[in-house]
């Protein structure tokens, strides 16, 4: 029952977004407007506060290496497989990679880590890895696709943090943590209010997008492949890497559980912002979130 309690709010808020659009309460542009609010305001606030309050010392290097290997493997498989197996264009490939390997480390990761692992220390490292390594890599590729010339330019990459609120907020958060800086109370309270809206608004936007999305936007075979990469391949690779690195039983459990978390709803928000891969992203979030209840329970039973 402890795992179920972590999943129920996600299902409810996604259903609320779907029902609200179905009843015409939010208008035709609801998913786009809510998504832009999350991408430009709420998500950067949440990332800044999370990273600015996170200590940058005492990392579990071997555990993070095992998790990083699993992420790189499935992101690469999703990225390449989208082209070679499903014929997706260059712009959509980064979204497929992110959907396959970017875990829900916030609204699902925190309660699950608390209930199953007893603490969120390793999860904090996962957040840093995804925000500072995986997200910029994907956004650089998407930014390249948006560039009419389709080329990677050093000046354009260097200016990406200034043009992308997600990367800018993450870098500022890490800088504040490293310097030991704290915001004035009024600024902190304002950002906290915005940050609190990120997860529920993203889930409502996700539900709204499911109502408007074309049924042919994500083929069953593609969705099945991404789901298998996320819920089966990633935790299995993490387990194998953990064994090779001689992790202890608690470390191995933490790595596998975090790798087995479902696709984060942030992937849909990013896909929506760049206008590519939205159908596969929203369905993958719903599918992996639904099925991960069973796969995570199995992982805990086998390793716990």
């Amino acid at each position: 029952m402890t795992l179920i309690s972590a999943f129920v709010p996600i299902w409810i808020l996604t259903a609320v977004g779907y029902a609200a659009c179905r009843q015409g309460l939010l208008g035709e542009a609801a998913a786009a407007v809510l998504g832009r609010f999350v991408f430009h305001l709420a998500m950067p606030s949440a990332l800044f506060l999370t990273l600015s309050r996170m200590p940058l010392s005492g990392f579990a290097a071997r555990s993070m290496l095992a998790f990083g290997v699993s992420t790189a493997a499935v992101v690469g498989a999703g990225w390449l497989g989208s082209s070679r197996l499903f014929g997706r264009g260059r712009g959509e490939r980064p979204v497929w990679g992110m959907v396959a390997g970017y875990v829900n480390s916030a609204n699902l990761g925190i309660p699950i880590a608390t209930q199953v692992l007893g603490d969120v220390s390793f999860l904090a490292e996962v957040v840093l890895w995804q925000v500072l390594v995986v997200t910029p890599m994907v956004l650089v590729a998407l930014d390249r696709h948006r560039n009419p010339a389709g080329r990677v330019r050093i000046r354009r990459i260097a200016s990406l943090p200034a043009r992308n609120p997600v990367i800018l907020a993450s870098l500022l958060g890490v800088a504040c943590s490293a310097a030991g800086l704290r915001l004035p109370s009024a600024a902190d309270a304002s950002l906290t209010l915005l940050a609190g809206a990120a997860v529920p608004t993203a889930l409502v936007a996700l539900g709204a997008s499911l109502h408007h999305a074309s049924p042919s936007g994500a083929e069953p075979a593609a969705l099945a492949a991404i789901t298998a990469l996320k819920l089966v391949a990633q935790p299995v690779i993490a387990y194998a890497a953990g064994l090779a690195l001689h992790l202890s039983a608690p470390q191995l459990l933490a790595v596998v559980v975090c790798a087995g978390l479902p696709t984060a709803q942030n992937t849909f928000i990013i896909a929506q912002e760049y206008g590519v891969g939205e159908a596969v992203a929203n369905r993958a979030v719903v599918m992996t979130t639904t099925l991960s209840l069973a796969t995570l329970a199995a992982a805990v039973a086998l390793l716990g």
Side-chain angles (χ1 to χ4, degrees), residues 112-129:
I112 288 176
T114 302
Q115 294 167 1
V116 176
L117 305 177
D119 68 80
V120 296
S121 57
F122 180 67
L123 188 70
E125 301 178 27
V126 171
V127 172
L128 280 177
W129 161 256

Side-chain angles (χ1 to χ4, degrees), residues 265-282:
Q265 66 268 14
N266 292 354
T267 59
F268 162 70
I269 297 297
I270 290 173
Q272 186 181 57
E273 173 66 21
Y274 282 86
V276 289
E278 298 169 67
V280 73
N282 62 25

Side-chain angles (χ1 to χ4, degrees), residues 230-283:
K230 180 75 226 50
L231 300 183
V232 180
Q234 189 167 7
V236 167
I237 294 171
Y239 177 76
L243 287 179
L245 292 169
H246 306 290
L247 298 183
S248 66
Q251 290 174 324
L252 195 58
L253 178 63
V255 169
V256 172
V257 167
C258 289
L261 290 169
T263 302
Q265 66 268 14
N266 292 354
T267 59
F268 162 70
I269 297 297
I270 290 173
Q272 186 181 57
E273 173 66 21
Y274 282 86
V276 289
E278 298 169 67
V280 73
N282 62 25
R283 282 168 172 77

Side-chain angles (χ1 to χ4, degrees), residues 253 297-304:
L253 178 63
V300 173
L302 290 171
L303 299 178

Side-chain angles (χ1 to χ4, degrees), residues 27-258:
E28 292 295 318
V33 172
L34 292 174
R36 291 186 68 81
F37 166 76
V38 174
F39 185 85
H40 290 279
L41 296 175
M43 189 193 302
S45 300
L47 289 172
F48 172 81
L49 290 179
T50 299
L51 295 175
S52 66
R53 298 168 178 171
M54 184 181 297
L56 301 180
S57 59
F59 276 17
R62 288 188 300 146
S63 296
M64 270 313 303
L65 178 58
F67 182 86
V69 167
S70 71
T71 302
V74 294
V75 168
W79 198 311
L80 295 176
S82 65
S83 170
R84 298 183 180 180
L85 299 179
F86 297 98
R88 298 299 181 184
R90 184 181 63 191
E92 196 168 344
R93 296 170 197 168
V95 173
W96 279 56
M98 196 175 193
V99 167
Y102 199 95
V103 306
N104 189 335
S105 58
N107 56 309
L108 256 184
I110 291 173
I112 288 176
T114 302
Q115 294 167 1
V116 176
L117 305 177
D119 68 80
V120 296
S121 57
F122 180 67
L123 188 70
E125 301 178 27
V126 171
V127 172
L128 280 177
W129 161 256
Q130 294 197 141
V131 169
L132 298 181
V133 178
V134 181
T135 300
M137 177 186 69
V138 171
L139 292 180
V140 165
L142 289 172
D143 197 67
R144 176 189 177 190
H145 168 67
R146 179 176 281 183
N147 179 13
R151 295 192 298 268
V152 176
R153 297 178 179 176
I154 301 301
R155 181 181 301 176
R156 188 169 178 84
I157 293 177
S159 67
L160 186 60
R163 295 182 287 109
N164 190 291
V166 172
I167 296 179
L168 179 61
S170 302
L171 293 176
L172 289 175
V174 171
C176 285
S177 176
L181 299 178
R182 291 295 179 264
L183 294 177
S185 57
D188 187 87
S190 300
L191 287 179
T192 299
L193 287 174
L194 268 177
V199 170
T201 306
L203 291 171
V204 171
L206 175 64
S209 74
L210 290 173
H211 178 257
H212 292 299
S214 168
S216 61
E219 305 96 323
L223 190 57
I226 288 175
T227 301
L229 284 173
K230 180 75 226 50
L231 300 183
V232 180
Q234 189 167 7
V236 167
I237 294 171
Y239 177 76
L243 287 179
L245 292 169
H246 306 290
L247 298 183
S248 66
Q251 290 174 324
L252 195 58
L253 178 63
V255 169
V256 172
V257 167
C258 289

